[in-house]
Amino acid sequence: MEKSRVLIVGGTGYLGKRLVKASLAEGHETYVLHRPEMGVDIEKVQLLLSFKEQGAHLISGSLNDHQSLVNAAKLVDVVICAISGVHIRSHHILLQLKLIDAIKEAGNIKRFLPSEFGTDPARMAHALEPGRTTFDDKMVVRKAIEEANIPFTYVSANCFAGYFLGGLCQPGLILPSKESVILYGDGNTKAIYVDEDDIARYAIKTIDDPRTLNKTVYIRPPKNILSQREVVQIWENHIGKELNKSSISEQQLLASLEGQSYAEQVGLIHYYHVCFEGCLTNFEIGEGGVEACQLYPEVNYTTVEQYMKRYV
């Protein structure tokens, strides 16, 4: 079967650049949308040029230029959006509504992967404010996709390893301490951690797969379904030292929101749902979903054990 041509929106971002790499590695003709004017952002320009050297096509366009989006969509079969939905960086989820309008007008797109890649928003209607904003916005995007009858795949990749494992599941930290760690409650609630390169690889695998059409794809690497305490134990084994451990209760975490910035409050609420509620692991995948590791056993994913070695 001929491989789909792919357009990646947000291709210079944290996950986007990995999606470009994975798409090229899988042999897809790959297009990367970039703004016509990038000022003096030399790092993004050089990244785009490196994509071009690897065989990607660079397409000038903007989410604020409807016709440029329509023109770009007409060049490809699949659109993947990776614009940021993380408040501590930037939160642009609803800008995808402009992309959906363009895809609808173009009329040729066989699959759209919106910017999801985290917790499944369809399971987070109960989420606390202000953290629920992320999930609510993603559900607005889903509603627009489905009302426009655009074929889709939603990718739920759970916890980005860089953000969660790097800080031993502590918000605001991305390097593991060799001295101490704060556990959420008893530290035994399970979560799921996925290497960002693996997220991109699994996402690209889905785009020509009929089994993932109009489905949610959950990435649940079996060896990476671990509690915070188990993550800490892996780190302790790597450094040959036991960390000093303290804990924070649900009530203490929620009380700590006071005085924090809006973006920090959003992040803390997400940690609350993952680390206390267990929102990533407290359900079985139903009819509307499939699991990536079962679909693509050939992907040799990075385990938490392997990932943590890079910090030693």
Side-chain angles (χ1 to χ4, degrees), residues 209-221:
D209 189 344
R211 298 173 296 176
T212 63
L213 179 62
N214 297 336
K215 298 277 189 180
T216 298
V217 176
Y218 298 91
I219 305 177
R220 289 182 163 185

Side-chain angles (χ1 to χ4, degrees), residues 7 38 100 142 152 165 189 216 218 227 234 257 289 308:
L7 172 67
M38 302 189 70
I100 291 165
R142 286 192 180 191
F152 64 84
L165 295 180
T189 301
T216 298
Y218 298 91
S227 68
I234 288 171
L257 296 176
M308 295 301 292

Side-chain angles (χ1 to χ4, degrees), residues 180-193:
S180 63
V181 64
I182 298 173
L183 299 175
Y184 289 100
D186 61 12
N188 290 325
T189 301
K190 299 280 188 180
I192 306 168
Y193 311 94

Side-chain angles (χ1 to χ4, degrees), residues 71-129:
N71 294 344
K74 286 182 176 179
L75 295 171
V76 299
D77 309 296
V78 172
V79 176
I80 304 175
C81 188
I83 62 175
S84 177
V86 181
H87 281 78
I88 59 170
R89 294 169 68 93
S90 57
H91 182 75
H92 298 310
I93 292 299
L94 292 181
L95 285 178
Q96 292 179 104
L97 297 176
K98 297 181 178 183
L99 186 55
I100 291 165
D101 287 341
I103 290 171
K104 185 177 180 180
E105 182 175 328
N108 60 291
I109 296 302
K110 298 176 182 177
R111 194 83 63 100
F112 177 42
L113 277 64
S115 184
E116 295 239 350
F117 306 111
T119 305
D120 180 4
R123 297 185 175 275
M124 298 305 294
H126 66 288
L128 300 179
E129 295 283 6

Side-chain angles (χ1 to χ4, degrees), residues 64-78:
N64 293 317
D65 181 347
H66 175 74
Q67 194 56 49
S68 73
L69 296 179
V70 174
N71 294 344
K74 286 182 176 179
L75 295 171
V76 299
D77 309 296
V78 172

